[in-house]
Amino acid sequence: MLIRNVEVRGRGRVDVRVRGGRITEIGQRLDATSNEPDGSDEPDDLDGRGGALLPGLHDHHVHLAALAADTASVRVGPADVTGRDGLAEALRGGPPGDWVRAVGYHESVAGELDRWTLDALTPPGRPVRVQHRTGALWVWNSAALRASGLETGTGDGRFWREDERLRGFVPPVRLDMEGVGRRAAALGVTGFTNADPHPADGLLDLLSVLPQRLLVMTVDAPVKLMLDDATLPAPAELAARIASLRPRPVAVHCVTRVQLLVTLLALDQTGPVDGDRIEHASVVPAETIPWIKQLGVTVVTQPHFPTERGHAYATDVDPDDRPHLYRCRSLSDAGIPLAAGTDAPYGTHDPWAVMRATVERRGGEALHPEAALDLFTGEPQHPARTRRLRIGATADLCLLRVPLREALDVLSADTVRAAFVGGRRIPAPGTGEARS
């Protein structure tokens, strides 16, 4: 395949030839007659119309099964409903079926939930379960507990990080994974890193329908390690756990100040290896920045969360921690390897929205648009190593409708024309055909 008349960073406007899933030639006025059929349905010659051709975007932290389930769920977050009446209306108007699965809840909607609160808000006898926005907490009403046989000994119906146990007690949710892949392709996404700490049985089969390239934490490197303040190990204990996994790198979930400190102490003790990551780095005190730099670990963060969750953070986050939330510029300026993931469905699934939020950050943490784009163009195993279009590179590509400068001005998915994995174009959502 020959993609003609595209803008490639560092080369200006050129033609790009793809053969056998890789870029084989980059230059001006390449000869289209030398194309060889590769057995695919792709056209041999595609006019890029002067748009930028980029490495395909890679979402470095996402939860794919939960994202697929999100489309079959009721949204009850602060952006979706307001107050008890709004929550009750949303839960009563859920999709057809015996159970209602609601997601994205935060206490700013209607306060803390328990089984009895849900009983007062939901239709009698209809099982309802509500997931907190963090993904860590489920709240079930009494009908759900009875239907699953869990009523005895469950108290208030609140389940903290018990997804694995609960899966066997709920009806299956229809997971449109193909839809996830096509919607992501429309955003220019050609790869995912699935960040579940304990991949469920059957997850790899479920993900196999995705057209994107996949890195599945724990199955592949790195190994995901979850930390919770309530069960936080001592640094020596975490170090022993990390040492038992070596030489594999680890990706440590750090969403509080103390979790970050324990992780840094543990990595100090074991010594870091290439590929070690800190996931989220939600709170990074300034005094820890040189320490992170010294260890050489990569930070994979969610710079959009202060925008998406700003109202909640203003009340939920300790005032001492607010200046240190989801750092970007200060980490980048310190030379710390930096990348981003959407954390969808617990944040937006749109990397371009994340980039916009990163550029618009306040408090000195904003990045320039090109640096924001680079947060999603890194290698899957080394997220901060930006991929470039070069001869021999895998042809995972994002073709834009406009030149790069115009795209960086708006940072919008509307500029995406097509996505290619290994030189094959991913069809657009709802069509079965690729968009032109």
Side-chain angles (χ1 to χ4, degrees):
M1 178 177 67
L2 182 65
I3 307 176
R4 294 184 292 106
N5 188 28
V6 290
E7 182 191 66
V8 173
R9 278 203 277 190
R11 291 179 177 263
R13 193 170 291 193
V14 294
D15 301 339
V16 176
R17 193 185 311 281
V18 174
R19 185 173 293 154
R22 294 188 176 274
I23 296 171
T24 58
E25 200 173 356
I26 301 174
Q28 295 182 338
R29 300 182 180 86
L30 297 182
D31 183 5
T33 62
S34 65
N35 281 346
E36 298 177 4
D38 62 3
S40 74
D41 296 329
E42 303 301 329
D44 292 337
D45 194 316
L46 175 65
D47 185 358
R49 305 171 192 166
L53 188 65
L54 308 173
L57 306 184
H58 190 97
D59 190 337
H60 294 288
H61 187 114
V62 63
H63 302 273
L64 290 164
L67 180 57
D70 192 68
T71 61
S73 305
V74 180
R75 300 290 308 177
V76 293
D80 309 294
V81 299
T82 303
R84 288 174 62 92
D85 291 344
L87 178 59
E89 182 179 359
L91 294 175
R92 288 170 180 163
D98 293 334
W99 284 63
V100 174
R101 183 184 193 272
V103 297
Y105 185 78
H106 182 266
E107 290 78 8
S108 60
V109 171
E112 264 198 14
L113 298 182
D114 56 28
R115 65 186 291 186
W116 302 287
T117 306
L118 284 183
D119 289 347
L121 297 174
T122 54
R126 190 173 191 189
V128 173
R129 54 190 172 124
V130 179
Q131 187 183 44
H132 193 269
R133 183 173 64 186
T134 61
L137 173 69
W138 282 98
V139 185
W140 292 25
N141 72 350
S142 295
L145 296 170
R146 286 194 298 271
S148 62
L150 289 174
E151 186 170 22
T152 302
T154 54
D156 57 9
R158 293 165 61 90
F159 298 94
W160 177 260
R161 295 208 186 282
E162 293 194 58
D163 288 50
E164 287 184 85
R165 183 170 78 92
L166 296 177
R167 285 190 190 107
F169 295 96
V170 296
V173 178
R174 182 181 178 275
L175 301 180
D176 180 16
M177 197 60 72
E178 290 184 359
V180 168
R182 291 193 175 195
R183 287 189 292 274
L187 304 173
V189 175
T190 60
F192 294 112
T193 294
N194 190 77
D196 297 346
H198 306 292
D201 291 342
L203 178 66
L204 297 184
D205 288 339
L206 177 67
L207 300 182
S208 66
V209 302
L210 287 169
Q212 284 83 6
R213 296 191 190 274
L214 289 171
L215 186 154
V216 179
M217 284 189 183
T218 302
V219 175
D220 306 309
V223 178
K224 177 74 176 289
L225 298 180
M226 287 294 301
L227 298 182
D228 286 315
D229 283 2
T231 57
L232 194 63
E237 183 182 350
L238 180 60
R241 170 69 173 142
I242 293 172
S244 73
L245 297 168
R246 294 306 197 208
R248 299 183 74 188
V250 294
V252 188
H253 167 102
C254 293
V255 297
T256 65
R257 180 188 296 247
V258 67
Q259 289 172 18
L260 178 65
L261 294 175
V262 167
T263 297
L264 297 180
L265 287 165
L267 288 172
D268 247 350
Q269 183 171 333
T270 61
V273 301
D274 188 33
D276 279 344
R277 299 165 43 152
I278 294 173
E279 303 300 306
H280 308 298
S282 306
V283 182
V284 180
E287 60 270 20
T288 66
I289 293 176
W291 196 358
I292 298 171
K293 164 65 175 174
Q294 180 184 359
L295 288 169
V297 296
T298 297
V299 170
V300 179
T301 188
Q302 286 70 50
H304 53 304
F305 278 1
T307 299
E308 288 188 1
R309 304 179 177 184
H311 179 71
Y313 283 172
T315 57
D316 295 355
V317 176
D318 189 304
D320 289 341
D321 286 341
R322 290 175 202 159
H324 311 301
L325 290 173
Y326 294 96
R327 290 181 179 273
C328 287
R329 182 64 177 270
S330 54
L331 299 182
S332 178
D333 285 351
I336 292 171
L338 185 66
T342 64
D343 202 23
Y346 312 115
T348 178
H349 71 293
D350 180 357
W352 298 93
V354 177
M355 295 178 215
R356 285 197 306 276
T358 305
V359 169
E360 295 166 1
R361 286 284 300 272
R362 298 179 180 178
E365 291 298 336
L367 294 179
H368 295 300
E370 194 159 355
L373 174 62
D374 287 344
L375 295 176
F376 288 96
T377 56
E379 299 174 6
Q381 293 282 6
H382 298 91
R385 294 182 189 172
T386 304
R387 291 170 287 132
R388 302 294 184 194
L389 300 192
R390 55 177 177 78
I391 293 172
T394 302
D396 295 350
L397 308 169
C398 172
L399 176 61
L400 302 185
R401 303 176 185 277
V402 297
L404 181 59
R405 177 169 294 184
E406 185 175 336
L408 293 175
D409 284 342
V410 295
L411 292 174
S412 169
D414 291 340
T415 64
V416 175
R417 179 179 169 191
F420 303 81
V421 174
R424 293 177 180 268
R425 192 171 184 175
I426 306 175
T431 64
E433 299 295 334
R435 289 191 309 186
S436 63

